[in-house]
Amino acid sequence: MRVLSPKQRVFIEAGRKEFVRNGYGSSSIRTIAQEAGVSLSALYYHYKNKQDLLLAILLDGVDTYDAVCDAELARAGDDPVEQIRAFVRGNVIFRTQFPEQGRMIATEVRNLEPEGARLYEERRRAGRRRIRDIIDRGVAQGVFTTKYPDDCRRSILAMVSAIANWYDPAGPDGPDEIAERYADLSLALLCPTITGGEGDSR
């Protein structure tokens, strides 16, 4: 996880708000400097252009996501079932408590230029190994009985990512309720013989 200076944090927060509000293409680096309360040259001292700032903002979102998920997993122990619950809970926390970071990851990655996209994908690939390792371990132990572990992994990631599209802080369900429900759905995919899905002989 990268350590940001207080000044870099100000730039990232101001840039994130501007990109979320107007989209990367319509956002102005000059406006971001004004929002941060500094001169344009001061911003350029830390980030050489708008593309550089976009990459920094996206990587900051990944840092937040990793920190939240890792904190939940650290409390889960070695049981793959509890680890899946922790992983889903971490994703729900990220999508509900850090909506701007999640929105940036969902909408602005496509605006990265090739080198930035490569660096970003390296970070995301490392993060995706987290759930792959949990599922592989659960399958090896016979805890997860699905025939399609990769499909389950992709489905779980898509399901929790979509929470950002509909979550309403004023809605009837809070993050805890959503996390419990989505963990149950994830385990239903991974343990279909227990939950009445594929391979059930009843």
Side-chain angles (χ1 to χ4, degrees), residues 30-158:
R30 187 177 299 278
T31 299
I32 292 169
Q34 292 172 347
E35 291 284 341
V38 300
S39 67
L40 192 57
S41 60
L43 194 157
Y44 282 139
Y45 176 80
H46 292 277
Y47 300 104
K48 58 186 179 182
N49 51 38
K50 189 168 72 165
Q51 182 69 200
D52 195 32
L53 180 59
L54 173 63
L55 176 61
I57 292 169
L58 289 169
L59 291 177
D60 181 67
V62 176
D63 285 342
T64 301
Y65 174 84
D66 286 347
V68 169
C69 286
D70 287 343
E72 293 298 322
L73 286 167
R75 293 191 282 269
D78 296 328
D79 179 10
V81 170
E82 292 306 313
Q83 289 180 336
I84 284 294
R85 290 193 176 278
F87 176 80
V88 170
R89 187 163 53 249
N91 274 264
V92 172
I93 291 170
F94 177 72
R95 301 295 173 182
T96 58
Q97 295 188 13
F98 302 94
E100 289 190 343
Q101 284 91 326
R103 195 170 298 119
M104 284 287 297
I105 289 173
T107 62
E108 298 299 341
V109 173
R110 65 178 182 269
N111 287 310
L112 286 172
E113 294 175 358
E115 178 60 16
R118 183 188 65 79
L119 294 171
Y120 177 80
E121 182 56 26
E122 285 179 0
R123 282 294 314 279
R124 292 294 286 157
R125 191 181 302 117
R128 285 193 291 269
R129 283 199 296 269
R130 187 186 286 108
I131 185 172
R132 187 190 299 274
D133 289 346
I134 295 170
I135 292 174
D136 287 349
R137 192 162 51 250
V139 169
Q141 294 176 11
V143 176
F144 301 148
T145 57
T146 179
K147 299 174 184 176
Y148 312 110
D150 285 338
D151 289 328
C152 289
R153 174 180 54 82
R154 285 188 288 265
S155 296
I156 292 168
L157 289 172

Side-chain angles (χ1 to χ4, degrees), residues 96 163-175 178:
T96 58
I163 291 170
N165 297 330
W166 58 262
Y167 175 70
D168 181 357
D173 294 332
I178 296 169

